[in-house]
């Protein structure tokens, strides 16, 4: 293993026990979440671990500086933060924008505001302003992960000034209470703003992105640092107490891993306490490790966790652009298949480790060391070259960026087609104009079909309307199966639900079989139901499709339109996201549905043996 130069600047070289190991755990959870779908559904909580560590570390360093000198050198602090963050960030953004410009297409959508947000540390606010949806994550958005870096940098900018005001308060207990109250208020605001993520992903995304509602980890870490500064630095208590504290720290770390297996980004529990629990567990690990004779530190500061933790910033910066660019380039991979999705993750992980290691050695460490005369000129030359490369890559990327993605274009076309016919399609049928009873073996006409779906159905809407004139399409972007009972109930109560119902709602999240049974009960025994299988490079689609197959086998008048099987051999008919069909793909979607409807139409009629006692039941 190569030897990494050790930073010599006192403020940044000050190493607090166990933090590198915690950073290692945090980045492992984030990588598992982004690169290996389904492995750690709640791995996004690794970001909250990072926030707690940052709040604790920065506050500790500032308090110690204030204790030594009676002041906080703000300009020196901000300069150190800039040397710590900017060189690696400029490198990643320049390389990512340059590669995206060479590739072209969807990876460049929105690149202008992304670059501005990334380089001004305001990415989270740009995301909220543009309505970016973190929960569904269907757009490429090359630099999306920089929202959390923006939150941290805003903290670095404002917190030292606020801390100076706090330190002017004579009573330490009041300082701790004020910061703890800020943390509690932020957590409460997240729960309030997020609402029900299943019904409003935009509100939940805003709550997740906002510094005000997602800043409780930073504030909690700062509160622990204030508490630590008041603690007597003496012995570590009896051996039994030390052992118990270490055990609690280990359990808290295991709790973070367990929490990452049960939380979901679209679950209400995440915003109503789940992330708060993650923050509390992180505080427990820090507190257990920050003791003179802690055995937990020997685990957290072991060579491997320490190596990963030191490079966690680079790993975080590189992994997301790599997975986006590789996914756009390796379109032949069927990312609805878990094996091939994980293969993509393995490639991105290997690249991230190599690039992060190189960045740490060649870029981050040299800039973090205190400037010396012998190094000043070379470093300034490197910085100037990096800025020029960034400007060149950024301007080229912005010049080539399309106004919106191919998938967005297809969805917009479908929305126009649906809007043009919606008024007629949603009007209740007058009783004297009820359609005649269907003839056995014939497909239902469009005015006998209600189709309820998500953006996939929207993209196929023009082809559905051409094949089934008069079809009533109720499709909305990001809709999930859990919303189906509410939609069906409203249509039944308004007398707008037709005799044949098509349900295409498996793209945006897992489904509960009980939801399907609830829908079936609402439809009644006379209506037929067709379920459309899901095609998406998402970890949950295999489970979704398995539930749909099982349910379709349960009821006589329920059939599966296997869109997934029909389109898998010809993924080139989809947009680059491998989800939304183009015109030819829309025809495949429509004909697959027609085949399912035909299978229902071909079913032999049921015989009422009670009303016809002369008929003999088949053996």
């Amino acid at each position: 293993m190569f030897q990494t130069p050790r930073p010599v600047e006192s403020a940044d070289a000050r190493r607090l026990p166990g933090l590198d190991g915690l950073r290692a755990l945090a980045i492992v959870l984030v990588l598992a979440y982004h690169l290996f779908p389904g492995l750690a559904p709640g791995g996004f909580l690794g970001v909250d671990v990072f926030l707690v560590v940052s709040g604790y570390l920065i506050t500790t360093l500032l308090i110690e500086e204030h204790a030594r000198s009676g002041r906080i050198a703000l300009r020196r602090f901000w300069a150190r933060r800039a040397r710590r963050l900017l060189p690696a960030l400029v490198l990643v953004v320049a390389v990512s924008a340059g590669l995206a410009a060479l590739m072209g297409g969807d990876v460049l959508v929105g690149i202008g505001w992304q670059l501005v947000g990334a380089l001004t540390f305001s990415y989270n606010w740009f995301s909220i302003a543009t309505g970016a949806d973190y929960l569904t994550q269907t757009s490429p958005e090359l630099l999306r992960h920089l929202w959390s870096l923006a939150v941290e940098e805003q903290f670095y900018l404002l917190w030292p000034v606020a801390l100076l005001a706090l330190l002017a308060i004579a009573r330490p207990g009041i300082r701790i209470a004020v910061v703890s109250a800020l943390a509690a208020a932020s957590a409460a605001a997240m729960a309030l703003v997020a609402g029900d993520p299943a019904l409003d992903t935009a509100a939940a995304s805003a709550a997740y992105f906002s510094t005000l509602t997602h800043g409780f980890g930073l504030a909690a870490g700062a509160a622990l640092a204030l508490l630590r500064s008041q603690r007597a630095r003496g012995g570590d208590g009896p051996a039994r107490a030390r052992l118990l504290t270490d055990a609690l720290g280990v359990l808290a770390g295991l709790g973070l891993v367990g929490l990452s297996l049960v939380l979901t980004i679209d679950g209400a529990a995440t915003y109503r306490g789940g992330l708060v629990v993650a923050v509390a567990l992180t505080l427990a690990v820090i507190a257990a490790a920050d003791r003179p004779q802690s055995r937990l530190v020997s685990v957290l500061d072991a060579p491997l966790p320490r190596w990963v933790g030191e490079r966690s910033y680079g790993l975080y910066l590189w992994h997301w652009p790599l997975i986006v660019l590789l996914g756009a380039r390796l379109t032949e991979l069927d990312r609805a298949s878990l094996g091939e999705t994980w293969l993509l993750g393995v490639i991105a992980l290997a690249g991230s480790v190599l690039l992060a290691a190189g960045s740490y050695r060649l870029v981050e460490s040299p800039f973090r060391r205190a400037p010396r005369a012998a190094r000043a000129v070379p470093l300034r030359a490197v910085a100037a070259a990096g800025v020029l490369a960034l400007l060149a890559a950024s301007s080229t990327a912005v010049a080539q960026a399309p106004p919106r993605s191919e998938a967005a274009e297809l969805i917009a076309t479908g929305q126009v087609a649906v809007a043009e016919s919606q008024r007629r399609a949603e009007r209740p049928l007058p009783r004297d104009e009820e359609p005649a009873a269907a003839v056995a073996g014939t497909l239902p006409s469009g005015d006998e079909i209600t189709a309820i779906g998500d953006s996939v159905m929207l993209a196929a809407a023009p082809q559905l309307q051409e094949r089934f004139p008069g079809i009533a399409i109720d499709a909305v972007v990001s809709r999930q199966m859990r919303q189906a009972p509410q939609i069906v109930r409203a249509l039944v109560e308004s007398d707008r639900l037709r005799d044949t119902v098509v349900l295409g709602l498996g793209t945006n999240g897992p489904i509960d079989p009980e939801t399907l049974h609830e829908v079936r009960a609402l439809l009644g025994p006379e209506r037929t139901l067709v379920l459309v299988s899901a095609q998406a490079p998402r970890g949950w689609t295999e489970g979704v499709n398995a539930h749909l197959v099982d349910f379709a086998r349960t009821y006589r008048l329920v059939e599966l339109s296997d869109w997934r099987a029909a389109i898998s051999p010809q993924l080139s008919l989809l947009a680059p996201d491998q989800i939304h069909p183009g015109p030819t793909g829309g025809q495949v979607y429509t004909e697959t549905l027609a085949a399912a409807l035909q299978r229902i139409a071909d079913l032999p009629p049921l015989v009422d043996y009670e009303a016809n006692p002369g008929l003999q039941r088949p053996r």
Side-chain angles (χ1 to χ4, degrees):
M1 185 71 66
F2 56 76
Q3 295 296 314
T4 303
R6 184 178 298 276
V8 298
E9 183 184 16
S10 60
D12 274 357
R14 172 78 164 87
R15 188 177 299 281
L16 297 180
L19 295 193
D20 280 329
L22 256 180
R23 289 192 187 101
L25 174 60
I27 192 60
V28 166
L29 292 177
V30 171
L31 293 175
Y33 174 63
H34 281 152
L35 304 185
F36 304 103
L39 182 59
F44 51 84
L45 65 81
V47 169
D48 293 87
V49 176
F50 277 126
L51 294 179
V52 176
V53 169
S54 293
Y56 175 74
L57 174 62
I58 293 303
T59 306
T60 297
L61 296 178
L62 292 174
I63 289 173
E64 290 180 351
E65 179 183 351
H66 188 270
R68 288 192 307 269
S69 63
R71 58 190 291 271
I72 294 175
L74 294 177
R75 291 180 60 184
R76 286 184 58 200
F77 170 79
W78 289 325
R80 290 196 303 268
R81 290 293 91 200
R83 288 203 304 274
R84 171 71 178 92
L85 299 175
L86 285 177
L89 177 66
V90 168
L91 176 64
V92 170
V93 172
V95 171
S96 301
L99 290 175
L102 290 174
M103 292 173 58
D106 285 2
V107 292
L108 289 174
V109 173
I111 193 65
W113 72 260
Q114 291 183 57
L115 288 167
V116 173
L119 297 175
T120 60
F121 296 105
S122 56
Y123 196 98
N124 60 324
W125 298 114
F126 273 95
S127 295
I128 293 172
T130 58
D133 191 338
Y134 188 83
L135 275 66
T136 56
Q137 302 196 34
T138 55
S139 64
E141 208 169 311
L142 185 64
L143 303 176
R144 168 181 281 168
H145 64 315
L146 298 184
W147 74 268
S148 63
L149 185 61
V151 170
E152 285 202 45
E153 186 61 24
Q154 290 157 32
F155 173 78
Y156 297 151
L157 181 64
L158 299 175
W159 177 241
V161 179
L163 183 60
L164 278 173
L166 275 176
L167 293 175
I169 300 174
R171 298 178 61 181
I174 295 179
R175 302 174 197 161
I176 298 169
V178 168
V179 180
S180 299
L182 288 175
S186 175
M190 170 175 274
L192 182 64
V193 172
D196 186 349
L199 301 178
D200 190 351
T201 59
S205 294
Y208 194 78
F209 283 131
S210 172
T211 307
L212 301 177
T213 53
H214 206 151
F216 50 88
L218 290 162
L224 180 62
L226 287 166
L227 180 63
R228 173 187 182 273
S229 69
Q230 301 305 311
R231 191 181 68 189
R233 309 297 291 177
D236 205 16
R240 180 175 297 180
R242 294 199 303 269
L243 183 61
L244 178 61
T245 305
D246 284 333
L248 291 175
V250 170
L251 288 176
L254 293 175
L256 285 170
V257 176
L259 204 59
S260 75
L261 301 178
V262 297
L263 291 183
T264 58
I265 194 64
D266 60 348
T270 297
Y271 304 87
R272 298 174 185 173
L275 294 179
V276 173
V277 173
V279 166
L281 291 172
T282 306
L283 293 174
V285 176
I286 294 174
D290 188 20
R291 295 174 299 112
Q293 301 179 48
S294 172
R295 294 184 180 180
L296 180 59
V297 172
S298 64
V299 176
L300 293 173
D301 284 346
L304 180 59
R306 181 167 172 175
W307 190 92
V308 174
E310 288 174 338
R311 291 152 186 82
S312 58
Y313 178 55
L315 286 167
Y316 187 82
L317 288 180
W318 283 109
H319 84 280
W320 181 255
L322 278 180
I323 197 68
V324 171
L325 293 170
L326 286 170
R329 186 67 176 173
L330 302 177
T331 54
E332 67 277 6
L333 286 180
D334 177 9
R335 281 170 282 136
S337 165
L338 191 60
E340 295 197 35
T341 300
W342 280 31
L343 174 60
L344 193 68
V346 169
I347 297 171
L349 177 61
S352 299
V353 171
L354 291 173
L355 289 168
S359 171
Y360 183 80
R361 180 181 179 85
L362 301 175
V363 177
E364 296 173 57
S365 293
F367 276 94
R368 286 174 65 182
R369 291 194 296 267
R372 295 179 180 177
R375 297 191 182 98
V377 173
L379 284 181
R380 280 199 291 267
V382 170
V387 171
L388 290 176
L390 175 64
L391 291 174
S394 299
S395 58
T396 304
V398 171
Q400 296 181 4
R404 54 186 176 185
S405 68
E406 185 177 329
E409 293 283 358
L410 294 170
I411 293 168
T413 301
Q415 288 172 327
V416 170
V418 170
E420 289 177 349
S421 62
Q422 195 166 31
R423 185 179 303 172
R424 181 177 63 255
E426 290 186 349
R427 186 179 303 146
L429 291 171
R431 291 299 178 186
D432 58 353
E433 296 182 18
E434 291 284 352
V439 178
T442 62
L443 289 179
S445 60
D447 56 14
E448 298 174 276
I449 303 173
T450 297
I452 301 169
D454 51 28
S455 58
V456 177
M457 186 178 286
L458 273 175
Q463 291 74 41
L464 286 170
Q465 291 175 333
E466 182 180 358
R467 182 69 171 79
F468 300 103
I471 184 173
I473 298 177
D474 182 349
V476 176
V477 174
S478 299
R479 181 181 278 170
Q480 296 193 31
M481 185 67 76
R482 69 185 71 179
Q483 298 166 260
Q486 178 182 352
I487 298 166
V488 170
R489 186 179 292 108
L491 291 173
V492 169
E493 292 173 352
S494 61
D495 195 27
R496 291 183 293 135
L497 191 68
R498 300 173 179 183
D499 290 340
T500 298
V501 177
V502 179
L503 210 56
L505 291 172
T507 307
N508 296 307
I511 65 175
D512 183 349
E514 287 304 314
T515 303
L516 298 174
H517 288 287
E518 185 178 355
V519 169
R520 178 69 254 183
L522 289 168
L523 296 182
E526 302 301 323
R527 288 188 175 94
T528 59
L529 173 64
V530 177
L531 302 169
V532 182
S533 64
Q535 157 58 40
R538 302 288 181 264
W540 55 74
T541 53
E542 282 192 35
V544 165
N545 291 334
H547 287 315
L548 296 179
V549 169
D550 290 343
F551 187 80
R553 290 171 177 166
T554 305
Y555 293 92
R556 184 174 185 272
L557 294 182
V558 177
E559 185 57 72
L560 180 72
S561 175
D562 203 346
W563 160 242
R564 164 79 171 89
I567 200 62
S568 289
Q570 40 192 344
L571 293 177
S572 60
L573 300 180
L574 302 177
D577 63 358
Q578 293 192 353
I579 297 176
H580 299 92
T584 307
Q587 291 175 5
V588 175
Y589 185 98
T590 301
E591 292 308 316
T592 305
L593 173 60
L597 292 171
Q598 187 65 60
R599 289 193 294 274
I600 294 179
D602 290 341
L603 288 173
L606 291 175
V607 177
D608 189 346
Y609 291 99
E610 298 295 331
N612 298 276
L615 295 176
Q616 186 176 3
R617 293 176 183 268
R619 293 182 181 272

